[in-house]
Structures are given as structure tokens and as C-alpha cells.
Amino acid sequence: MRPGRAVMTVPIAAVKVLSSRERNQRRFKELVQSVANLGLKRPITVCRRDGPDSYDLVCGERRLDAFAALGQSNIPVLL
């Protein structure tokens, strides 16, 4: 991890996806199952927006969606 980047947990609702992409539903279901079985291997990457609890997604939309599909309210992020 590069200096100055911190891993923390934030509410999924605080992460804004700026440009969403379509995904293969079969592969997405496989990812959801993997996250359910093994957990999140790599945090998503976000950058802080104007407010203290507001973030823009940089990388990891599928992982964010998988966590939400599993009913999680918070997700580990690299800031």
C-alpha cells in the first residue's frame, strides 16, 4: 500500500458511483458467492468528496454491488 492511503470502513450508501458499467450476471453471481464464502480480498478504492461522509468510487463497483447484494451496510475501502 502506498504511503498516505488508509484502509477504513464506510457506509455503502456514502459511496457514489460516477460511471456505472454493465456486467455479466453469471460472473456477478459468482463474485457474490465468493465474497459470501471468503470475504472481501481487496478493499474498493474511493476518494473523499466535499463532505466528511461522502466518497466517489474510483475502483471496485462489482465488489461494492456484491457487498450490497449480501445485505451489508458498510464496506472496507482504500482512501
Side-chain angles (χ1 to χ4, degrees):
M1 184 169 50
R2 292 186 306 189
R5 295 180 77 185
V7 176
M8 55 191 268
T9 302
V10 301
I12 289 174
V15 180
K16 181 178 179 184
V17 178
L18 298 176
S19 64
S20 184
R21 296 187 304 188
E22 288 195 32
R23 65 185 52 85
N24 179 300
Q25 287 301 309
R26 181 186 58 79
R27 291 187 67 202
F28 178 68
K29 288 178 183 178
E30 290 172 357
L31 174 63
V32 171
Q33 190 64 43
S34 174
V35 170
N37 292 336
L38 304 172
L40 194 62
K41 293 180 182 179
R42 185 174 44 154
I44 66 170
T45 304
V46 298
C47 63
R48 197 178 299 273
R49 297 187 78 205
D50 295 331
D53 291 323
S54 185
Y55 306 90
D56 286 336
L57 181 69
V58 174
C59 180
E61 181 182 3
R62 288 177 19 131
R63 288 173 278 153
L64 176 71
D65 290 344
F67 245 57
L70 291 167
Q72 300 292 317
S73 57
N74 296 310
I75 188 165
V77 302
L78 260 177
L79 186 59

